[in-house]
Amino acid sequence: MSENEISKIIIGCALVVHKQLGPGLLESAYKECLFYKLQQESLFVEKEKPMPLVFEDIKLECGYRIDLLVENKVVIELKSVESLTDVHLAQTLTYMKLGGYKLGLLINFNVALLKQGIKRVINGDLKH
């Protein structure tokens, strides 16, 4: 399954979660519910996946964690904030670069319409 096919399923599941829960909850609540919905779709999902930082010749365990990694291809960074910022985008891109992933979804559940809270993040060549 391609990154784009996976992302369509993720977005569909995120819409279901947002429709049922609405905005205003903690990020952790959305993470657990989205994790559950993605597993129902028979996708392989890792939650809080550790992401080491390699600097020169050493590997540092700095406590970086990807919120959700789907099918070892798509990074999902979840937020429940007033609005997404450049720092949130940079965080998602950093995880993608460290892991060599091509596609990420930055999802802010604290919005009235979820489509306003979803940002596709592309690292490198990704065919549409």
Side-chain angles (χ1 to χ4, degrees), residues 52-62 98:
L53 173 65
V54 177
F55 176 75
E56 294 181 356
D57 295 333
I58 60 171
K59 185 177 179 181
L60 305 167
E61 299 297 334
C62 296
L98 289 173

Side-chain angles (χ1 to χ4, degrees), residues 83-117:
S83 61
L84 294 174
T85 67
D86 290 343
V87 171
H88 299 132
L89 180 59
Q91 179 184 21
T92 306
L93 270 169
T94 297
Y95 290 156
M96 291 169 62
K97 288 176 185 174
L98 289 173
Y101 305 112
K102 294 179 185 173
L103 180 63
L105 292 172
L106 176 56
I107 304 175
N108 180 19
F109 278 93
N110 198 32
V111 291
L113 292 172
L114 189 62
K115 70 178 185 175
Q116 296 170 341

